[in-house]
Amino acid sequence: MADNLPTEFDVVVVGTGLPESIIAAACSRSGQRVLHVDSKNYYGGNWASFSFSGLLSWIKEKQQKTEVSDECEDWRKLILENEEVISLDNSDKTIEHVEDFCFGNQDSAEDVEEAGALSKLPLFGSSGAQGAAQDPEKESAPVENTLPEPAASSDPASATGGNETEVTPEREGSPDPASGEPASDVGETEAPTENAAQEPKKITYAQIVREGRRFNIDLVSKLLYSRGLLIDLLIKSNVSRYAEFKNATRILAFREGKVEQVPCSRADVFNSKQLTMVEKRLLMKFLTFCLEYEQHPDEYQDYENRTFAEFLGTRKLTPSLQHFILHSIAMVSEADCSTLDGIQATKKFLQCLGRYGNTPFLFPLYGQGEIPQCFCRMCAVFGGIYCLRHSVQCLVVDKESGRCKAVLDHFGQRISAKYFVVEDSFLSESTCKNVCYRQISRAILITDQSILKTDSEQQVSILRMPPMDSGQPAVCIIELCSSTMTCMKDSYLVHLTCPSSKTAREDLEPVVQKLFSLNTESEEETENEEVEKPRVLWAVYFNMRDSSGIDRSSYDRLPSNVYVCSGPDSALGNDCAVRQAETIFQEMFPTEEFCPPPPNPEDTVYDEEEPASEDSGLNNAPEMKPEPSPEEGGSEEGATGEPESEG
């Protein structure tokens, strides 16, 4: 039980988001005693993934703004005279303006039960019982290293070269050793068809509810750059063996009122029918320049103080090529991005091509919420202790030294440590009174067909929608198919993200209306163009706090041994979270290596005379594939397969 926790650790981590989970794993790997707690009953915080029923519960909670009860109301009596406290806030205020819409018949789903759901467990039931409630679909999933280091050429031309590493949708489920592309866990029922159906199958809301456990819906929508910091960390630390990935199959663009595919690799460019031969040569010449721009400073130095869009206009590129480069390759702002930043973004895109497929991006099967759980698993493997539903009431600060010496949990137990890591959302309003937060606008849609139909239904697509009006941000759209294990068969999961200027619905609904049909089942579609659009079956809009990039000095009275992790940012990749985690770890332990490779089991020497330690119920259990809980998605309590204490 949680009230039997040890009273002394080296590091206490509050919150199970991606940066906190990476830090916990790195500390545990370096031999530190780590306690990792979260007041929520699922892993990931705002990085979590949910089943459909789990997301509906999350939406209800945010709309009702449920307050967390203080079980130990007299905890202030436990503070000594030479101590002061920094109160923490366990009521999440990072989500606002939550609006959900169903475009099907909700009445038909009133008596529908979720397939495979178990009877509801008591709130404080044993974690072992919760861990046993596993999705049978995931039980047979292999745990293997699906991100081996590929043999990539260092020749810059190869970055835009052939497609030897491409994994075609028809071959999903068969690992390609040369490409490093993971095997898909897609069963026969999920296998892509050779020819897409001419008419989308009609999906009802009742079907979505019944197949709710097929969904793994991310609160934050991101992709992994194949040469980004997160992929490098997953490979280096061998955490990649806990997850599987799928290559994003296509980059899309919206131009002149229609969606079209953007050629990325050299083979795509020269096989493209939408570009003339002159355009192909101009595009390849410019992309080659971006790969080698440091060697040709004279070509861009005069434009360093001008925008990247203006620079593209001087390169003899046609308007369509400028649009492709700006919005689909560099993926930068037309109004604000400098020339040098745009060139560097283009180079990053090109360098990521060909490592695992013909696009620069990977997506984790079962959703982005799997990644924090993978690092939690690594922490537990090396001795970290996990407690979900375990609130921390305050940080206890020594008045004389000004350093934090302990935390008090909701049982009133004092837990001492040398260092403390806290996710921003747990800090009180008084601590954050000088902090100016940004917001992210998010929309999640369940649709009946892809925004760009092709012969294969199993496509993972990314589309950057240019601003519809001046002053508005571009919208990043990621469309996921059922082989990503994030939605049911014959449906698509669409994520929309942009920096907020208004509420999420006001920011994103115009884009949704442009690309999708919002007609309900009972409404007749009178316009031909509406028939061509994918139909939205269900949607939710919400604003999420962006706490990235905040200077430490903005927080009031923060002790020197307390470190703050931010929530998700609006960027497409995860570099910010990885960079933040490494920086905090190095500040705490400057002489230790950050997430080194695990020891080779063959080199491990066991002391035969040393008796095997008994399982206390708090330490890590044998490794297993991440499992969803009965109530919510793959990121809930017990999802990493490690036992945690209950609060």
Side-chain angles (χ1 to χ4, degrees):
M1 296 296 291
D3 51 357
N4 293 327
L5 280 172
T7 58
E8 188 173 341
F9 291 87
D10 295 312
V11 182
V12 172
V13 182
V14 182
T16 53
L18 182 57
E20 306 95 85
S21 299
I22 295 175
I23 292 170
C27 292
S28 183
R29 175 66 184 89
S30 66
Q32 310 300 322
R33 297 167 298 168
V34 177
L35 173 64
H36 200 173
V37 300
D38 199 324
S39 59
K40 302 177 180 65
N41 64 346
Y42 54 86
Y43 287 93
N46 284 349
W47 302 79
S49 301
F50 293 99
S51 66
F52 185 69
S53 61
L55 185 63
L56 293 181
S57 299
W58 179 87
I59 290 171
K60 184 177 180 181
E61 176 188 335
K62 299 306 174 186
Q63 289 176 337
Q64 294 178 345
K65 297 183 178 179
T66 307
E67 294 293 331
V68 178
S69 61
D70 187 354
E71 294 185 25
C72 182
E73 297 180 358
D74 58 347
W75 58 267
R76 293 184 182 275
K77 299 178 182 177
L78 304 174
I79 305 302
L80 305 178
E81 291 184 1
N82 63 337
E83 298 172 343
E84 58 184 1
V85 300
I86 298 177
S87 298
L88 298 185
D89 187 355
N90 291 288
S91 59
D92 186 7
K93 297 181 174 64
T94 61
I95 305 296
E96 297 179 313
H97 310 300
V98 183
E99 301 177 75
D100 62 313
F101 302 91
C102 179
F103 298 92
N105 184 4
Q106 285 184 288
D107 295 335
S108 64
E110 283 186 358
D111 299 323
V112 176
E113 293 186 1
E114 188 177 66
L118 302 180
S119 57
K120 188 172 182 180
L121 296 173
L123 181 61
F124 297 106
S126 70
S127 60
Q130 294 218 7
Q134 299 169 353
D135 189 341
E137 189 171 319
K138 287 191 180 183
E139 287 179 1
S140 60
V143 179
E144 58 182 79
N145 185 351
T146 57
L147 280 177
E149 182 65 41
S153 169
S154 59
D155 181 5
S158 67
T160 55
N163 253 349
E164 293 85 354
T165 59
E166 178 179 358
V167 177
T168 61
E170 287 74 19
R171 290 185 58 83
E172 287 168 24
S174 301
D176 183 353
S179 69
E181 176 67 10
S184 170
D185 274 346
V186 185
E188 292 182 2
T189 57
E190 296 287 349
T193 58
E194 293 184 0
N195 296 312
Q198 294 298 320
E199 295 293 335
K201 294 182 180 179
K202 187 174 181 180
I203 299 175
T204 64
Y205 182 72
Q207 285 177 286
I208 294 175
V209 173
R210 186 180 300 109
E211 299 294 325
R213 289 167 66 83
R214 300 275 183 185
F215 290 87
N216 285 288
I217 304 172
D218 295 321
L219 294 183
V220 59
S221 177
K222 289 181 178 291
L223 294 174
L224 284 71
Y225 280 91
S226 66
R227 295 187 189 276
L229 295 179
L230 184 54
I231 288 292
D232 290 343
L233 181 61
L234 288 167
I235 294 173
K236 172 189 173 185
S237 62
N238 205 21
V239 171
S240 58
R241 71 186 186 273
Y242 299 131
E244 295 177 282
F245 300 84
K246 181 178 175 65
N247 184 234
T249 54
R250 59 185 184 178
I251 311 292
L252 305 179
F254 185 84
R255 184 172 176 272
E256 297 179 350
K258 63 179 181 179
V259 178
E260 53 188 353
Q261 188 166 345
V262 177
C264 296
S265 67
R266 184 189 299 272
D268 287 344
V269 169
F270 285 104
N271 289 330
S272 173
K273 296 180 180 179
Q274 64 200 93
L275 300 179
T276 66
M277 188 57 66
V278 173
E279 285 180 316
K280 292 176 182 179
R281 292 189 182 124
L282 289 172
L283 179 58
M284 288 307 304
K285 181 179 179 181
F286 180 78
L287 297 181
T288 302
F289 157 73
C290 289
L291 281 169
E292 304 168 349
Y293 78 94
E294 295 98 335
Q295 303 173 23
H296 308 283
D298 53 304
E299 294 194 36
Y300 66 87
Q301 281 182 338
D302 293 341
Y303 300 92
E304 283 187 312
N305 296 325
R306 300 172 67 179
T307 66
F308 186 51
E310 291 174 322
F311 175 69
L312 292 177
T314 67
R315 302 292 297 187
K316 300 181 181 179
L317 299 168
T318 62
S320 61
L321 290 182
Q322 293 181 43
H323 182 92
F324 288 161
I325 294 169
L326 192 65
H327 296 290
S328 301
I329 296 179
M331 298 186 183
V332 294
S333 168
E334 186 172 353
D336 304 328
C337 180
S338 68
T339 295
L340 189 57
D341 289 343
I343 294 174
Q344 290 172 343
T346 304
K347 181 178 180 178
K348 179 181 180 180
F349 181 99
L350 298 174
Q351 287 179 324
C352 292
L353 286 173
R355 190 181 196 189
Y356 296 113
N358 66 329
T359 72
F361 305 109
L362 292 175
F363 180 80
L365 296 186
Y366 302 102
Q368 172 78 25
E370 290 292 290
I371 303 300
Q373 294 184 61
C374 291
F375 285 99
C376 290
R377 182 178 307 283
M378 176 182 172
C379 176
V381 165
F382 287 96
I385 294 178
Y386 278 83
C387 297
L388 296 183
R389 297 199 301 266
H390 197 99
S391 302
V392 173
Q393 302 296 335
C394 68
L395 305 173
V396 181
V397 180
D398 182 74
K399 289 183 178 179
E400 185 177 345
S401 65
R403 290 175 62 86
C404 183
K405 57 192 295 188
V407 295
L408 282 180
D409 66 10
H410 62 309
F411 287 120
Q413 182 178 1
R414 178 183 291 246
I415 301 172
S416 302
K418 300 174 184 176
Y419 300 99
F420 302 84
V421 179
V422 183
E423 202 269 328
D424 174 271
S425 65
F426 289 95
L427 298 176
S428 65
E429 291 183 3
S430 60
T431 304
C432 302
K433 61 185 178 183
N434 298 321
V435 177
C436 183
Y437 292 110
R438 300 181 299 276
Q439 296 287 324
I440 302 170
S441 290
R442 290 278 290 117
I444 303 170
L445 318 176
I446 299 175
T447 66
D448 64 347
Q449 57 181 308
S450 175
I451 52 179
L452 181 62
K453 296 180 182 178
T454 60
D455 289 341
S456 173
E457 296 175 343
Q458 300 301 313
Q459 300 278 4
V460 177
S461 311
I462 175 170
L463 166 64
R464 191 172 186 272
M465 194 78 169
M468 299 189 68
D469 294 313
S470 60
Q472 289 187 335
V475 176
C476 180
I477 302 172
I478 297 176
E479 183 185 69
L480 305 172
C481 59
S482 61
S483 65
T484 61
M485 316 309 286
T486 59
C487 57
M488 61 181 283
K489 187 180 179 182
D490 299 321
S491 70
Y492 291 84
L493 192 64
V494 183
H495 292 273
L496 295 88
T497 308
C498 74
S500 299
S501 57
K502 303 175 183 177
T503 68
R505 186 181 177 189
E506 291 173 319
D507 284 339
L508 298 175
E509 193 171 51
V511 176
V512 173
Q513 292 172 339
K514 195 84 172 177
L515 296 174
F516 302 93
S517 168
L518 299 179
N519 289 323
T520 61
E521 292 176 350
S522 59
E523 291 176 338
E524 294 184 359
E525 297 175 354
T526 56
E527 299 183 14
N528 291 333
E529 64 178 61
E530 288 294 307
V531 179
E532 298 298 323
K533 293 181 179 180
R535 190 167 69 88
V536 177
L537 308 172
W538 181 88
V540 63
Y541 299 88
F542 59 90
N543 290 89
M544 177 183 290
R545 178 191 294 176
D546 180 357
S547 55
S548 63
I550 294 175
D551 189 82
R552 178 185 175 87
S553 60
S554 300
Y555 298 104
D556 188 47
R557 298 187 310 117
L558 198 66
S560 60
N561 62 332
V562 175
Y563 301 89
V564 180
C565 287
S566 65
D569 61 355
S570 60
L572 178 61
N574 298 273
D575 285 3
C576 178
V578 178
R579 197 176 290 114
Q580 182 183 56
E582 183 171 9
T583 300
I584 291 175
F585 176 81
Q586 295 296 353
E587 287 183 11
M588 292 190 293
F589 307 105
T591 61
E592 296 287 345
E593 183 180 359
F594 179 65
C595 286
N600 189 335
E602 297 178 0
D603 298 335
T604 304
V605 178
Y606 297 97
D607 187 350
E608 296 181 359
E609 297 180 359
E610 183 178 348
S613 60
E614 296 181 1
D615 184 5
S616 65
L618 295 174
N619 294 326
N620 53 292
E623 299 175 15
M624 58 173 58
K625 181 73 179 178
E627 309 286 354
S629 77
E631 288 300 309
E632 298 182 354
S635 61
E636 297 189 9
E637 179 177 5
T640 63
E642 311 298 345
E644 63 283 316
S645 302
E646 300 157 17

